[in-house]
Amino acid sequence: MIERLAAGAIALGLVLAPAGAAFAADDDGAGAGGLDIVVTVPSASPETGRTITNAQLRWGLNGEAGSGAFAGGCNFLSAGKAGDTGGARVWTAADGFYRASEGSVRVEKPDAAGEWRLASFENRCLDASGAPVSAASFTSTTGNQVVIDGGVGTFDPARGAQIRWTGSFTVVFYGGMTYWSASNPVLSLDAAGNGQLTATGSGYATSMEDMSKWEPIAPRTIVLAELRGASIADGGFAIVPEYLGVTAPPDSGQVVRSTDNAAWWGSFPSSFVQFQKITGQTGYWLTTGVNATARSPRPCCG
């Protein structure tokens, strides 16, 4: 398997806002691969504590999660927790591992008009124009995103906020040769707006050096995103989670920070990277040396 090194597997923008609120997309919009996390909750006064119901989480992880791959066609997202394929192999329509929706979880992609549509196995490797995504381009992406409805929780200005979602999604690279799942995400913030988005990670261990390796990964809690200084105002907040300047765990393959790569140098959270060491996807979640400024962090919803 040839690794497509992803220096720009990058930081995320997160938005919490009243239900039905409209947000301005960044210049790349959906084509940026869903790099923003978007959380929508029912409208209420930010000065008073409240119970949150039916919150929505929308996320595309990073540009690599919807890009072309040098083997297997492309990388893509799937609803639900995928079962055991029995080895590092490419998924087919007939095997039933891919799902566009399951329970409260669905996968959406933008069409040529910029409208979100339910994804399918047939279009999982196509961009918004209907053309196949290319592994040779850092800007070629399907723009697929996971959407999870039904989040419940609480908000208290003196204590912070917590929202829990029930459901799983699967991140599939190289057409199915390596994949992992995130289940039951939880957003936790303290009164200062600092916190995390966590989930239970599971999947199957493999390696580019030894693709015959295929072992179940014991479920564990992983931090999907670290948040700092989220400001509650008018029932919502916008923030870019930590990535730029974040040092990955030792022996993760992160290159040394320099003046040349400082604009995009960073890493996903430590527990997330440690988990990816087992899945075989480490290089897609931290800076590995490739100039990928097209996937550098962009602020959301200003």
Side-chain angles (χ1 to χ4, degrees):
M1 185 187 304
I2 303 173
E3 179 179 8
R4 183 170 184 239
L5 299 177
I10 61 173
L12 316 164
L14 185 146
V15 177
L16 176 63
F23 297 105
D26 58 46
D27 290 341
D28 291 325
L35 301 178
D36 302 327
I37 300 174
V38 179
V39 178
T40 307
V41 301
S43 180
S45 170
E47 287 78 23
T48 60
R50 67 183 187 271
T51 298
I52 296 171
T53 59
N54 200 31
Q56 183 186 88
L57 172 66
R58 174 183 287 272
W59 191 22
L61 277 80
N62 67 5
E64 289 290 350
S67 71
F70 286 111
C74 69
N75 306 326
F76 55 89
L77 303 175
S78 177
K81 183 178 177 180
D84 187 354
T85 60
R89 66 171 180 82
V90 176
W91 292 8
T92 68
D95 61 29
F97 288 103
Y98 178 89
R99 295 184 180 90
S101 64
E102 181 177 281
S104 60
V105 183
R106 64 185 182 276
V107 177
E108 295 184 344
K109 296 171 70 264
D111 62 16
E115 299 294 328
W116 290 106
R117 306 294 184 188
L118 189 67
S120 68
F121 186 85
E122 290 71 25
N123 70 16
R124 75 196 186 288
C125 293
L126 304 180
D127 65 16
S129 72
V133 290
S134 170
S137 170
F138 279 111
T139 60
S140 177
T141 177
T142 66
N144 64 175
Q145 296 189 353
V146 170
V147 182
I148 310 179
D149 291 318
V152 297
T154 58
F155 166 66
D156 183 333
R159 296 184 178 183
Q162 184 176 84
I163 305 175
R164 296 177 176 272
W165 288 269
T166 299
S168 303
F169 62 88
T170 299
V171 183
V172 187
F173 278 22
Y174 288 100
M177 294 182 183
T178 167
Y179 60 92
W180 57 276
S181 300
S183 300
N184 303 328
V186 178
L187 174 67
S188 301
L189 296 172
D190 64 19
N194 301 327
Q196 302 173 329
L197 180 69
T198 61
T200 299
S202 61
Y204 298 88
T206 188
S207 167
M208 288 183 294
E209 290 73 30
D210 181 10
M211 291 179 59
S212 66
K213 177 182 179 182
W214 192 258
E215 302 170 355
I217 300 173
R220 66 200 64 197
T221 299
I222 56 176
V223 178
L224 300 176
E226 293 274 2
L227 313 178
R228 297 289 181 269
S231 176
I232 300 294
D234 297 326
F237 63 82
I239 191 171
V240 177
E242 301 293 288
Y243 177 91
L244 287 179
V246 174
T247 301
D251 301 321
S252 298
Q254 186 180 38
V255 297
V256 175
R257 185 177 183 179
S258 68
T259 55
D260 292 332
N261 64 25
W264 65 85
W265 188 91
S267 172
F268 272 61
S270 179
S271 66
F272 184 92
V273 173
Q274 294 285 19
F275 176 73
Q276 299 303 336
K277 286 184 178 182
I278 305 173
T279 70
Q281 294 184 13
T282 313
Y284 298 94
W285 308 103
L286 46 80
T287 306
T288 54
V290 176
N291 184 336
T293 54
R295 289 186 180 160
S296 295
R298 289 177 290 276
C300 171
C301 312

